[in-house]
Structure formats: structure tokens, C-alpha cells
Amino acid sequence: MTKQIINKTAQGVMVWDTEEKRSYLMTNDEASKLEKEQSTPEEPTADKAEEKPKQTKTKPASKKEETTDGE
């Protein structure tokens, strides 16, 4: 993917080309074709598929209530 949509306007769409290192204005029709190409599902990489285990919150052991009777 060498082209990224920067900004959508009424006249067209601003696009950044990473290979040519420049931006230019594209018509709405051309931009819709570009969006369709970019929205094709990509295979997930191994790094993204692997999730870290979530930490669980644990409560500390509760203390026995102390009485103020003096016994």
C-alpha cells in the first residue's frame, strides 16, 4: 500500500504517495477505487494473533475483626 488517504474534500481527496514522497489531489471516483483496494482483508500476522494474558485483580486476605471488649 503506497497511497494513503489524508483528507477528503468536496473537490476530491488528498492522497499521500509513500514511494514518490508527495501528496496530490485525486477525484472522488479514483479515491473510492483506492478505498476498495485498501479495504481488502489482510492475513493477520503472528505477532498480532498472539495476545498477552490479562491480569486479574486479587483481593488481599481479610483480617479477622478485632474486638474492643478487652477480652
Side-chain angles (χ1 to χ4, degrees), residues 29-42:
D29 294 333
E30 292 173 340
S32 65
K33 292 177 186 176
L34 179 64
E35 282 181 328
K36 287 179 184 177
E37 290 174 6
Q38 290 180 353
S39 66
T40 56
E42 297 178 2

Side-chain angles (χ1 to χ4, degrees), residues 3-17:
K3 297 177 183 175
Q4 296 177 346
I5 295 174
I6 299 172
N7 190 10
K8 294 182 180 182
T9 64
Q11 292 80 18
V13 177
M14 288 296 298
V15 177
W16 175 256
D17 193 343

Side-chain angles (χ1 to χ4, degrees), residues 3 12-13 15-16 23 25 27 33 38 40 43 47-49 59-61 66 69:
K3 297 177 183 175
V13 177
V15 177
W16 175 256
S23 63
L25 189 65
T27 64
K33 292 177 186 176
Q38 290 180 353
T40 56
E43 294 180 14
D47 295 336
K48 291 182 180 179
K59 293 183 178 180
E66 296 179 7
D69 296 349

Side-chain angles (χ1 to χ4, degrees), residues 17-32:
D17 193 343
T18 55
E19 287 182 354
E20 297 178 14
K21 303 279 190 219
R22 70 182 190 107
S23 63
Y24 54 93
L25 189 65
M26 195 183 253
T27 64
N28 290 326
D29 294 333
E30 292 173 340
S32 65

